[in-house]
Amino acid sequence: MAAALLALTACSAPQRVAHVSPAPATTASPAPPALRSASRHFRAQVLARVPTDRADARGLELVGDLLVEDTGPVIRAVAPLTGEVQAQRNVPPGNGIALTPAGLWRTGAGAAVLLDPRSLAERRRVTIEDESGGLCYDGTNLVQSDGTTRLLLRDRDTAALVRELPVVTREWSTARLGELHCVSVDGRPQVWAAVTGTDWMIRVDLATGAVVADADLTAITIAEVPTGRDQVIGGIAAVPDTAGELWVTGRHYHHRYRIGLQSRP
């Protein structure tokens, strides 16, 4: 993967490039015991933060030892602990990326594009009808949000629509779901979904559509200076070999945050 990513830096000034180990396709992250079904309410604890260039982040995925960040017109690989851009590639506008056995899927208005996870080169493109707010892979299907209270499940190999999943909730009945992060809780596929325009994300069971947990992200949002309606959570990625820690970034955020989720009353 390192050699392929090096080729992408032609669109920018040369930068120091770290080794990128080949990464197998990921599935939904397992939840640690503290986050399993008995717990329903969480709050974010900021463990670290890394300055960013305030890019319009619209997706985040761990590939090897780098974070691949979708910023709309550019996909780039960054070092998690420093934020240094290691490589980047110009791409058409899009929202949401997810690593699957087929490759790295990226969704946008009217299209789903399959990228090579090592070179980030486009492999193929298919037409889709729905807008995209976020994307993740639950181990079986792609899970896509479209800015409403429904989720779209798509075939991991073709991006064809498998089924629509209405989110069953009263409290969050008007929620506009954005960035997604798939998890497995007690063996059940679920997804954390950032609620656009709020300080919250909710966890949805992908078998039933029920909201089974929520998380208060105020610890992140109060640290950011408001820059308008587009300053929302724009990327969530699991930190490997940890008890459920996450990297979280936002559209035009000053920092990328490493957080843990703590149970709350």
Side-chain angles (χ1 to χ4, degrees), residues 169-189:
T169 176
R170 292 183 179 179
E171 183 179 3
W172 299 98
S173 61
T174 60
R176 294 182 293 123
L177 304 183
E179 172 65 358
L180 305 177
H181 171 58
C182 289
V183 294
S184 177
V185 181
D186 296 339
R188 297 177 65 89

mmCIF file of all heavy atoms in Angstrom, residues 169-189:
data_model
loop_
_atom_site.group_PDB
_atom_site.id
_atom_site.type_symbol
_atom_site.label_atom_id
_atom_site.label_comp_id
_atom_site.label_asym_id
_atom_site.label_seq_id
_atom_site.Cartn_x
_atom_site.Cartn_y
_atom_site.Cartn_z
ATOM 1 N N THR A 169 -38.228 5.194 16.320
ATOM 2 C CA THR A 169 -37.997 5.974 17.532
ATOM 3 C C THR A 169 -38.981 7.122 17.602
ATOM 4 O O THR A 169 -39.420 7.638 16.570
ATOM 5 C CB THR A 169 -36.562 6.536 17.553
ATOM 6 O OG1 THR A 169 -36.395 7.378 18.694
ATOM 7 C CG2 THR A 169 -36.268 7.343 16.294
ATOM 8 N N ARG A 170 -39.349 7.510 18.819
ATOM 9 C CA ARG A 170 -40.149 8.712 19.013
ATOM 10 C C ARG A 170 -39.257 9.904 19.320
ATOM 11 O O ARG A 170 -39.413 10.965 18.740
ATOM 12 C CB ARG A 170 -41.148 8.501 20.161
ATOM 13 C CG ARG A 170 -42.237 7.487 19.851
ATOM 14 C CD ARG A 170 -43.225 7.389 21.001
ATOM 15 N NE ARG A 170 -44.295 6.439 20.720
ATOM 16 C CZ ARG A 170 -45.286 6.154 21.566
ATOM 17 N NH1 ARG A 170 -45.330 6.752 22.756
ATOM 18 N NH2 ARG A 170 -46.212 5.275 21.234
ATOM 19 N N GLU A 171 -38.318 9.705 20.228
ATOM 20 C CA GLU A 171 -37.455 10.799 20.651
ATOM 21 C C GLU A 171 -36.658 11.382 19.491
ATOM 22 O O GLU A 171 -36.415 12.585 19.432
ATOM 23 C CB GLU A 171 -36.498 10.314 21.740
ATOM 24 C CG GLU A 171 -35.598 11.402 22.287
ATOM 25 C CD GLU A 171 -34.674 10.885 23.376
ATOM 26 O OE1 GLU A 171 -34.704 9.673 23.661
ATOM 27 O OE2 GLU A 171 -33.914 11.703 23.923
ATOM 28 N N TRP A 172 -36.242 10.520 18.539
ATOM 29 C CA TRP A 172 -35.395 10.959 17.438
ATOM 30 C C TRP A 172 -36.141 10.904 16.108
ATOM 31 O O TRP A 172 -35.553 10.737 15.053
ATOM 32 C CB TRP A 172 -34.142 10.076 17.357
ATOM 33 C CG TRP A 172 -33.301 10.145 18.589
ATOM 34 C CD1 TRP A 172 -33.304 9.253 19.628
ATOM 35 C CD2 TRP A 172 -32.375 11.160 18.946
ATOM 36 N NE1 TRP A 172 -32.422 9.646 20.599
ATOM 37 C CE2 TRP A 172 -31.827 10.816 20.198
ATOM 38 C CE3 TRP A 172 -31.938 12.331 18.315
ATOM 39 C CZ2 TRP A 172 -30.874 11.600 20.840
ATOM 40 C CZ3 TRP A 172 -30.986 13.107 18.951
ATOM 41 C CH2 TRP A 172 -30.463 12.745 20.196
ATOM 42 N N SER A 173 -37.452 11.111 16.155
ATOM 43 C CA SER A 173 -38.273 10.937 14.954
ATOM 44 C C SER A 173 -37.973 11.963 13.866
ATOM 45 O O SER A 173 -38.275 11.730 12.696
ATOM 46 C CB SER A 173 -39.761 11.005 15.320
ATOM 47 O OG SER A 173 -40.072 12.276 15.895
ATOM 48 N N THR A 174 -37.381 13.100 14.241
ATOM 49 C CA THR A 174 -37.047 14.117 13.240
ATOM 50 C C THR A 174 -35.544 14.196 12.992
ATOM 51 O O THR A 174 -35.066 15.159 12.374
ATOM 52 C CB THR A 174 -37.562 15.503 13.677
ATOM 53 O OG1 THR A 174 -36.950 15.858 14.924
ATOM 54 C CG2 THR A 174 -39.076 15.484 13.826
ATOM 55 N N ALA A 175 -34.811 13.204 13.462
ATOM 56 C CA ALA A 175 -33.355 13.226 13.327
ATOM 57 C C ALA A 175 -32.936 13.159 11.862
ATOM 58 O O ALA A 175 -33.562 12.464 11.048
ATOM 59 C CB ALA A 175 -32.739 12.056 14.087
ATOM 60 N N ARG A 176 -31.880 13.883 11.535
ATOM 61 C CA ARG A 176 -31.256 13.794 10.218
ATOM 62 C C ARG A 176 -29.914 13.099 10.404
ATOM 63 O O ARG A 176 -28.984 13.668 10.965
ATOM 64 C CB ARG A 176 -31.083 15.195 9.606
ATOM 65 C CG ARG A 176 -32.401 15.884 9.301
ATOM 66 C CD ARG A 176 -32.204 17.241 8.648
ATOM 67 N NE ARG A 176 -31.593 18.197 9.567
ATOM 68 C CZ ARG A 176 -30.471 18.849 9.326
ATOM 69 N NH1 ARG A 176 -29.796 18.636 8.195
ATOM 70 N NH2 ARG A 176 -29.983 19.707 10.191
ATOM 71 N N LEU A 177 -29.831 11.854 9.958
ATOM 72 C CA LEU A 177 -28.652 11.041 10.223
ATOM 73 C C LEU A 177 -27.550 11.367 9.240
ATOM 74 O O LEU A 177 -27.782 11.507 8.035
ATOM 75 C CB LEU A 177 -29.017 9.556 10.157
ATOM 76 C CG LEU A 177 -30.160 9.121 11.088
ATOM 77 C CD1 LEU A 177 -30.368 7.613 10.990
ATOM 78 C CD2 LEU A 177 -29.892 9.543 12.536
ATOM 79 N N GLY A 178 -26.331 11.468 9.770
ATOM 80 C CA GLY A 178 -25.181 11.812 8.947
ATOM 81 C C GLY A 178 -24.120 10.724 8.965
ATOM 82 O O GLY A 178 -24.377 9.590 8.574
ATOM 83 N N GLU A 179 -22.924 11.055 9.441
ATOM 84 C CA GLU A 179 -21.798 10.119 9.447
ATOM 85 C C GLU A 179 -22.124 8.872 10.267
ATOM 86 O O GLU A 179 -22.798 8.937 11.304
ATOM 87 C CB GLU A 179 -20.552 10.819 9.997
ATOM 88 C CG GLU A 179 -19.356 9.926 10.233
ATOM 89 C CD GLU A 179 -18.768 9.307 8.965
ATOM 90 O OE1 GLU A 179 -19.317 9.538 7.872
ATOM 91 O OE2 GLU A 179 -17.768 8.585 9.078
ATOM 92 N N LEU A 180 -21.642 7.719 9.797
ATOM 93 C CA LEU A 180 -21.954 6.428 10.405
ATOM 94 C C LEU A 180 -20.683 5.689 10.829
ATOM 95 O O LEU A 180 -19.631 5.850 10.233
ATOM 96 C CB LEU A 180 -22.721 5.540 9.424
ATOM 97 C CG LEU A 180 -24.010 6.098 8.820
ATOM 98 C CD1 LEU A 180 -24.582 5.103 7.819
ATOM 99 C CD2 LEU A 180 -25.033 6.432 9.899
ATOM 100 N N HIS A 181 -20.851 4.840 11.854
ATOM 101 C CA HIS A 181 -19.778 3.933 12.271
ATOM 102 C C HIS A 181 -20.413 2.614 12.687
ATOM 103 O O HIS A 181 -21.181 2.561 13.656
ATOM 104 C CB HIS A 181 -18.978 4.521 13.422
ATOM 105 C CG HIS A 181 -17.994 3.560 14.033
ATOM 106 N ND1 HIS A 181 -16.995 2.970 13.297
ATOM 107 C CD2 HIS A 181 -17.880 3.078 15.291
ATOM 108 C CE1 HIS A 181 -16.289 2.164 14.088
ATOM 109 N NE2 HIS A 181 -16.811 2.227 15.293
ATOM 110 N N CYS A 182 -20.135 1.535 11.964
ATOM 111 C CA CYS A 182 -20.727 0.228 12.244
ATOM 112 C C CYS A 182 -20.011 -0.459 13.408
ATOM 113 O O CYS A 182 -18.778 -0.416 13.507
ATOM 114 C CB CYS A 182 -20.653 -0.669 11.010
ATOM 115 S SG CYS A 182 -21.765 -0.176 9.665
ATOM 116 N N VAL A 183 -20.797 -1.107 14.264
ATOM 117 C CA VAL A 183 -20.266 -1.877 15.382
ATOM 118 C C VAL A 183 -21.045 -3.182 15.497
ATOM 119 O O VAL A 183 -22.143 -3.322 14.949
ATOM 120 C CB VAL A 183 -20.351 -1.109 16.721
ATOM 121 C CG1 VAL A 183 -19.457 0.108 16.715
ATOM 122 C CG2 VAL A 183 -21.803 -0.715 17.024
ATOM 123 N N SER A 184 -20.469 -4.130 16.226
ATOM 124 C CA SER A 184 -21.168 -5.366 16.552
ATOM 125 C C SER A 184 -21.318 -5.420 18.064
ATOM 126 O O SER A 184 -20.319 -5.371 18.801
ATOM 127 C CB SER A 184 -20.369 -6.581 16.058
ATOM 128 O OG SER A 184 -21.012 -7.790 16.428
ATOM 129 N N VAL A 185 -22.550 -5.482 18.547
ATOM 130 C CA VAL A 185 -22.842 -5.471 19.981
ATOM 131 C C VAL A 185 -23.564 -6.761 20.346
ATOM 132 O O VAL A 185 -24.660 -7.032 19.840
ATOM 133 C CB VAL A 185 -23.699 -4.243 20.363
ATOM 134 C CG1 VAL A 185 -23.969 -4.234 21.862
ATOM 135 C CG2 VAL A 185 -23.005 -2.953 19.944
ATOM 136 N N ASP A 186 -22.934 -7.565 21.195
ATOM 137 C CA ASP A 186 -23.495 -8.871 21.562
ATOM 138 C C ASP A 186 -23.835 -9.694 20.322
ATOM 139 O O ASP A 186 -24.842 -10.403 20.276
ATOM 140 C CB ASP A 186 -24.753 -8.697 22.427
ATOM 141 C CG ASP A 186 -24.449 -8.042 23.767
ATOM 142 O OD1 ASP A 186 -23.281 -8.091 24.203
ATOM 143 O OD2 ASP A 186 -25.375 -7.471 24.374
ATOM 144 N N GLY A 187 -23.007 -9.576 19.289
ATOM 145 C CA GLY A 187 -23.203 -10.340 18.067
ATOM 146 C C GLY A 187 -24.231 -9.771 17.123
ATOM 147 O O GLY A 187 -24.493 -10.357 16.072
ATOM 148 N N ARG A 188 -24.794 -8.606 17.448
ATOM 149 C CA ARG A 188 -25.813 -7.985 16.608
ATOM 150 C C ARG A 188 -25.205 -6.798 15.866
ATOM 151 O O ARG A 188 -24.561 -5.931 16.476
ATOM 152 C CB ARG A 188 -27.003 -7.498 17.445
ATOM 153 C CG ARG A 188 -27.740 -8.605 18.161
ATOM 154 C CD ARG A 188 -28.854 -8.037 19.032
ATOM 155 N NE ARG A 188 -29.888 -7.387 18.235
ATOM 156 C CZ ARG A 188 -30.947 -8.015 17.733
ATOM 157 N NH1 ARG A 188 -31.092 -9.316 17.924
ATOM 158 N NH2 ARG A 188 -31.858 -7.362 17.035
ATOM 159 N N PRO A 189 -25.409 -6.705 14.551
ATOM 160 C CA PRO A 189 -24.898 -5.546 13.807
ATOM 161 C C PRO A 189 -25.684 -4.287 14.163
ATOM 162 O O PRO A 189 -26.918 -4.272 14.113
ATOM 163 C CB PRO A 189 -25.102 -5.945 12.343
ATOM 164 C CG PRO A 189 -26.198 -6.955 12.359
ATOM 165 C CD PRO A 189 -26.071 -7.687 13.668
#
